Amino acid sequence: MDGSIQKYMAFVKTVECGSFTKAAEQLSYSQSGISRMINDLEKEWKVVLLERSKSGVKLTSSGMKLLPYAERVCREYEKLQLEVDELQGLKSGLIRIGTFSSVATHWLPNIIKEFQKNYPNIDYEMLLGDYTDIEEWIMEGRIDCGFTRLPVRDEMDTIFLEQDRLLVVLQEGHPLTELQKIPVSALCEEPFMLLEKGAKAEVSEIFERSNLKPKVHFTTWDDYAIMAMVESGLGISVLPELILKRIPYRIVTRELEIPAYRNIGLAMRNRKGATPAVKRFLEYLQYR
């Protein structure tokens, strides 16, 4: 590896980790080696990149200006290496994936299992977040691709994967379980557990379309926390069908009187510019 690239990686990883020691562990260097590489960069560029203290390091104003360029160089180097790997049969590589919990639980294990049969040396980095997080990570280049709700920003490339039905979630023995299909108005009569964070969720849009407002007592982006609350009789909720597979909670689901869905897809900044490993990974989405 070129010495300059090593220094850029040391700089980027040290900022990411907040200390020389942690960066050294992740890059398999000594702490003194990381420190020396960053000192070399500062001498070459004639600027101070990091403020050192006992609690760690933080960027100087000069470091803030130069960090995005160093990150870009590192990303381009990774792409170069992946292109070389593609020519050698994808013997190594890294795929960075953004996702939310239901896809991480029910789809990704199957996709990666099949992908690894043919490409066992590819590594993965998975970031869990909400729809807003995932879109921002894609635009920032933090991840290569992300499972999210469609539609997304116009400047992204997307692949539609599935329409996921939204279901009412109730405690066992709840009076509403006697109905096969539940009107939205009935959901406004009891404490409601709302699955939402950042961007407005599908559930909020259901109520808005009906000009109704639920009695929201609990808001989170953790599907399992909501199911536990419902099981304990603390309220009712509406959750996507995908997350309701193979659950350990004693809860009951019912359809909405007016069906509602979310569209799940895979988004990326530029499909044509994706690394060889990511392009090949897309071919395995069918195994979800």
Side-chain angles (χ1 to χ4, degrees):
M1 185 189 301
D2 181 84
S4 294
I5 296 294
Q6 288 178 316
K7 294 173 188 176
Y8 299 158
M9 287 183 171
F11 174 41
V12 171
K13 186 60 69 174
T14 299
V15 173
E16 184 182 309
C17 296
S19 79
F20 293 124
T21 303
K22 291 179 181 178
E25 290 174 359
Q26 293 200 22
L27 294 176
S28 299
Y29 287 109
S30 65
Q31 186 271 344
S32 60
I34 293 291
S35 179
R36 185 175 59 255
M37 283 190 278
I38 293 176
N39 286 336
D40 288 345
L41 272 185
E42 291 177 323
K43 289 177 182 177
E44 290 172 20
W45 294 345
K46 296 181 173 59
V47 295
V48 177
L49 297 171
L50 300 172
E51 292 180 3
R52 285 83 162 166
S53 68
K54 291 181 179 179
S55 59
V57 298
K58 65 179 183 178
L59 285 166
T60 62
S61 58
S62 296
M64 288 180 186
K65 290 180 180 178
L66 295 173
L67 178 64
Y69 297 98
E71 290 175 328
R72 195 174 307 153
V73 170
C74 292
R75 286 197 298 269
E76 291 302 318
Y77 178 77
E78 287 178 2
K79 289 180 182 178
L80 171 63
Q81 287 300 110
L82 287 171
E83 290 290 348
V84 173
D85 291 335
E86 172 72 359
L87 294 173
Q88 297 176 351
L90 282 179
K91 292 180 180 177
S92 65
L94 173 68
I95 301 176
R96 302 169 302 170
I97 304 167
T99 185
F100 46 92
S101 58
S102 52
V103 167
T105 303
H106 300 296
W107 284 4
L108 273 173
N110 298 328
I111 296 170
I112 293 174
K113 180 181 178 181
E114 292 300 319
F115 189 73
Q116 282 194 325
K117 288 179 181 178
N118 293 319
Y119 307 104
N121 296 318
I122 297 294
D123 294 325
Y124 308 87
E125 181 181 348
M126 187 164 62
L127 271 65
L128 282 170
D130 65 12
Y131 306 137
T132 303
D133 293 331
I134 292 165
E135 284 193 39
E136 288 178 355
W137 293 334
I138 292 171
M139 297 303 295
E140 293 169 359
R142 180 68 185 83
I143 56 177
D144 300 305
C145 57
F147 292 88
T148 187
R149 176 184 63 175
L150 302 180
V152 295
R153 308 179 193 190
D154 292 339
E155 58 265 40
M156 292 184 187
D157 289 338
T158 59
I159 300 171
F160 171 77
L161 295 175
E162 199 165 299
Q163 196 173 62
D164 192 20
R165 187 171 53 161
L166 301 178
L167 298 175
V168 179
V169 183
L170 306 161
Q171 183 188 35
E172 288 183 346
H174 192 284
L176 288 177
T177 59
E178 297 178 7
L179 303 176
Q180 289 305 308
K181 296 189 177 182
I182 299 176
V184 176
S185 57
L187 304 178
C188 299
E189 297 171 3
E190 303 193 34
F192 194 84
M193 307 289 158
L194 180 63
L195 181 69
E196 185 172 85
K197 177 194 167 191
K200 187 180 295 180
E202 305 87 357
V203 180
S204 295
E205 293 168 359
I206 291 171
F207 289 107
E208 286 183 4
R209 286 196 295 270
S210 302
N211 293 315
L212 295 169
K213 189 173 182 180
K215 300 175 182 176
V216 178
H217 280 215
F218 185 82
T219 304
T220 182
W221 189 243
D222 188 330
D223 320 73
Y224 295 102
I226 285 183
M227 286 185 265
M229 296 282 186
V230 171
E231 182 185 49
S232 297
L234 298 175
I236 61 178
S237 189
V238 173
L239 294 174
E241 188 171 16
L242 182 60
I243 197 61
L244 295 168
K245 295 179 179 180
R246 304 195 308 270
I247 55 172
Y249 303 97
R250 293 181 298 174
I251 54 179
V252 178
T253 62
R254 290 289 182 269
E255 294 181 36
L256 284 161
E257 193 171 72
I258 302 175
Y261 305 86
R262 66 172 175 177
N263 291 322
I264 303 176
L266 187 79
M268 63 199 80
R269 189 70 179 87
N270 182 348
R271 186 170 180 176
K272 289 182 179 179
T275 65
V278 171
K279 287 179 180 177
R280 195 61 55 85
F281 179 79
L282 301 181
E283 299 173 10
Y284 287 76
L285 295 174
Q286 61 182 307
Y287 293 105
R288 64 186 184 276

